[in-house]
């Protein structure tokens, strides 16, 4: 099930099944899921703690470091999909809606290659 | 493009196009993306700050609060997909690999409805 | 050196000495310190992950859980004091200035025992 | 009340008084305080989002940027002191205990100017 053929609904189902097999949906209120997303986000960040620019680039080509980052990213995504399941949020629609908002705030012709906070997407 | 028909590759492309239209990939090193995921995760958590259990549940049925949470979740996902693009990580594979690891750590028959840290997925 | 006799300058010195003995001030730019504060804050939060209200209260009376929380709090404070040293910020003054701002935003007579976000101090 | 003459007990009292004047201690359970520390830590980090090394250094000499960072740091400290009050933690002792642990893990002669994760204090 690679990204090319897996739908968001498929991936949400995989996560929902894992949770259902353990009867854990009872614990998955939105606040505790947001707490868990925060904790996992910080664990991902820890992979780059104290790294200068060269060390950050090196993570991509170091198989072990890249693998740790890959699995930390997965943790965040798992809890994000748990939250989308808990709140019945269509993830694809949410991302597209948010990019539409961000696109109006940061028009491509004005922000091309340049921004007060370059690279910032959130509106 | 709802979750039922959108593949992860589709959604990653939507995000990649947004970034390319602004020539922002140059800013998207893994560390700064991890920083941004952290910041957005905290903004999602802020929607539930000081909320007791009843107030957390109420977010689901309050259209404005739910919409804010939906768009904060989208911010996190956008940066997660930016990171998957920057590091060429197959998101579907990463999630399945992580759930396999977590499944061995938390066997369904042992952790059914119960855990020292109930509901915890990350290994 | 308990809180009753230790000044903020004393505690900042203790931290500065620890850093100087390792020649680590060279790594202590404000961004990486802020990253570290974030990571440590999430580790403190992890002590309460998935805890309901009763379990949170129980942490205070469980010596091991309380000790873990105490040392996680210390990690956050150490990095906060590193940042105050790096940016030459008078911590006592900063706290008092911020409480003055918060006090104007949340007057005691209006917010007594009540707030849209009860307990929130930051302005 | 500058750092040179303010004890930790003094500063904890200032924060406790602010909380008592609003009857907010009832909301200050350890989990919600940890959540708030996390949120404020991310707001501090946001001041350095997307900043390269030169831009981080520039924050120190830009009065407005430095002031924003100073007040974000204060928010984190306020909630840390609330937590120390809620759990009756002697902050000075906790910091010294944690540095003793970190000092054994990172001996000065081994880690002088160098570390796998340079600058890391937490054990």
């Amino acid at each position: 099930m690679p990204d090319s053929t897996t739908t968001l609904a498929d991936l949400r189902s995989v996560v929902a099944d894992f949770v259902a097999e353990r009867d854990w949906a009872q614990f998955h209120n939105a606040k505790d899921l947001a707490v868990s997303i925060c904790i996992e986000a910080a664990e991902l960040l820890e992979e780059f703690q104290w790294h200068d620019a060269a060390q950050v680039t090196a993570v991509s080509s170091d198989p072990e470091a890249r693998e740790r980052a890959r699995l930390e990213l997965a943790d965040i995504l798992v809890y994000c999909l748990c939250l989308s399941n808990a709140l019945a949020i269509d993830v694809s629609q949410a991302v597209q809606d948010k990019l539409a908002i961000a696109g109006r705030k940061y028009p491509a012709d004005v922000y091309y290659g340049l921004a007060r906070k370059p690279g910032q997407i959130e509106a």
Side-chain angles (χ1 to χ4, degrees), chain A residues 31-87:
Chain A
K31 182 175 183 173
D32 277 315
L33 287 170
V35 162
S36 293
I37 292 170
C38 238
I39 290 169
E40 296 305 320
E43 291 190 4
L44 171 67
L45 185 52
E46 197 175 0
E47 293 298 322
F48 306 99
Q49 194 183 14
W50 303 114
H51 279 22
D52 63 22
Q55 292 169 312
V56 173
T57 304
V59 168
S60 314
S61 48
D62 173 346
E64 285 185 29
R66 187 178 175 286
E67 178 64 5
R68 284 198 305 274
R70 188 178 78 97
L71 295 178
E72 292 298 348
L73 177 61
D75 280 336
I76 302 168
L77 286 163
V78 166
Y79 283 127
C80 284
L81 297 179
C82 286
L83 184 56
S84 75
N85 286 335
L87 294 182

Side-chain angles (χ1 to χ4, degrees), chain A residues 96-118:
Chain A
Q96 290 168 92
D97 289 350
K98 194 53 193 275
L99 288 181
I101 295 171
R104 287 192 292 275
K105 188 170 176 187
Y106 302 106
D109 54 345
V110 178
Y111 283 88
Y112 189 82
L114 185 75
R116 189 176 62 84
K117 280 196 167 183

